[in-house]
Amino acid sequence: MQAILDCIYAQFQLQCAPDARKHRMTIASPCIKLCQLDAAGQYCIGCQRTLDELRRWSKASDDEKQIIIERIKLLEPQPS
């Protein structure tokens, strides 16, 4: 599983090259470069994206990316 995450991270770095950002990266990735899967191998403990979300990110539309970002925000602790 870690190999999959490493591969996805490498793809992310390629798409963040200056030219790629100019054309495709209108919504920033939530990646915080703490790429490690949880014990169950279901999601990244750094950015909280699921394996499916990690795989799809580079091809996802802005609407899809926004949905992922909003789902991650729901996981953040709310002030009491």
Side-chain angles (χ1 to χ4, degrees), residues 3-15:
I4 293 171
L5 199 54
D6 290 342
C7 180
I8 293 168
Y9 179 68
Q11 290 174 356
F12 166 76
Q13 287 188 321
L14 285 175
Q15 75 186 44

Side-chain angles (χ1 to χ4, degrees), residues 1-75:
M1 284 298 191
Q2 188 62 41
I4 293 171
L5 199 54
D6 290 342
C7 180
I8 293 168
Y9 179 68
Q11 290 174 356
F12 166 76
Q13 287 188 321
L14 285 175
Q15 75 186 44
C16 285
D19 280 349
R21 264 195 309 243
K22 191 169 33 172
H23 298 291
R24 289 189 272 173
M25 298 293 288
T26 56
I27 294 182
S29 170
C31 180
I32 61 169
K33 304 205 179 8
L34 178 62
C35 303
Q36 185 176 348
L37 294 176
D38 70 318
Q42 298 297 312
Y43 67 92
C44 174
I45 62 170
C47 67
Q48 304 297 310
R49 286 182 288 176
T50 66
L51 278 176
D52 186 51
E53 291 167 345
L54 288 163
R55 286 184 190 116
R56 290 189 347 235
W57 187 264
S58 65
K59 304 267 191 235
S61 69
D62 283 352
D63 288 340
E64 292 170 310
K65 290 177 181 179
Q66 191 59 45
I67 289 168
I68 293 168
I69 298 292
E70 292 302 319
R71 184 195 61 76
I72 293 168
K73 285 181 183 176
L74 290 174
L75 299 174

